[in-house]
Amino acid sequence: MKTSRFVSLVGSVGALAVMTVISVLIGQIFHAVPAGIAQGIPLDDVAAVLAFSFFGFKTLKEAFDMEEGESVMDEELAEAEEAVDGSSTIKQTTAWAQIISTFGLVFAAEFGDRSFLSTIALSAAQNPVSVAGGAIAAHAVATGIAVSGGSYIAKYISEKVIGIIGGSLFIVFAVTTAFGIF
């Protein structure tokens, strides 16, 4: 039995929201490092610039190395389908059990990924409330698009283009953080 799109959306956004709050809290702990320990070096800003630069260049490299029409999503889809097939909770009929199972699958899959680490870096360097609100809203919009029409959109926008856009945005974040503009 498949879950409804609404159940998938609620479970996914819930997991991503909790993950975002955790990463913002970790970023704030990093931001609280006393200046005496860091010898005046703004460790939070330096870490943010390094993280954004690394993710930007890595994402751009992966995008440019990708053949046209190639998709990393096929492998991830197969892994997700395998996890869902092996989950007795998702096969249960109650919506709450399906939401909790979806929450757990998404939380485990996304914990420690680029968005998690980027949110830590952003939170360390920027206003944590704004970072949390923006990240949760972005996750909700992206998940909503993926759940409602991701396969349709994928027909028109290649994964390579999305990688180039994402990598470029990481580089922009690195540069603006480095110059204190952002």
Side-chain angles (χ1 to χ4, degrees):
M1 173 209 267
K2 288 189 169 188
T3 61
S4 73
R5 290 181 181 194
F6 179 74
V7 167
S8 297
L9 179 69
V10 171
S12 298
V13 171
L16 293 169
V18 169
M19 184 188 74
T20 299
V21 169
I22 291 170
S23 60
V24 166
L25 292 173
I26 292 170
Q28 285 302 289
I29 291 168
F30 195 44
H31 179 71
V33 172
I37 292 175
Q39 298 177 344
I41 299 171
L43 291 180
D44 50 353
D45 292 333
V46 171
V49 169
L50 292 174
F52 291 142
S53 298
F54 173 76
F55 292 137
F57 288 118
K58 184 175 190 298
T59 303
L60 286 172
K61 181 185 179 321
E62 290 170 354
F64 287 122
D65 289 347
M66 188 179 293
E67 297 294 325
E68 199 60 45
E70 182 182 354
S71 177
V72 178
M73 295 306 295
D74 294 336
E75 181 181 321
E76 290 185 15
L77 177 62
E79 290 174 8
E81 286 175 344
E82 183 180 314
V84 169
D85 287 341
S87 173
S88 61
T89 311
I90 284 188
K91 294 177 183 175
Q92 293 177 4
T93 57
T94 67
W96 282 111
Q98 292 175 342
I99 289 172
I100 291 168
S101 186
T102 302
F103 178 98
L105 288 171
V106 170
F107 189 85
E110 297 295 327
F111 196 84
D113 74 343
R114 290 177 189 164
S115 62
F116 182 81
L117 297 173
S118 297
T119 305
I120 291 172
L122 250 164
S123 173
Q126 303 296 327
N127 178 330
V129 174
S130 299
V131 170
I136 290 170
H139 280 307
V141 168
T143 303
I145 291 170
V147 167
S148 64
S151 60
Y152 179 76
I153 293 170
K155 292 178 187 175
Y156 300 102
I157 302 175
S158 73
E159 209 170 311
K160 183 173 188 166
V161 169
I162 292 171
I164 292 169
I165 292 169
S168 299
L169 285 173
F170 274 122
I171 299 298
V172 168
F173 293 158
V175 170
T176 56
T177 302
F179 288 115
I181 298 170
F182 192 74

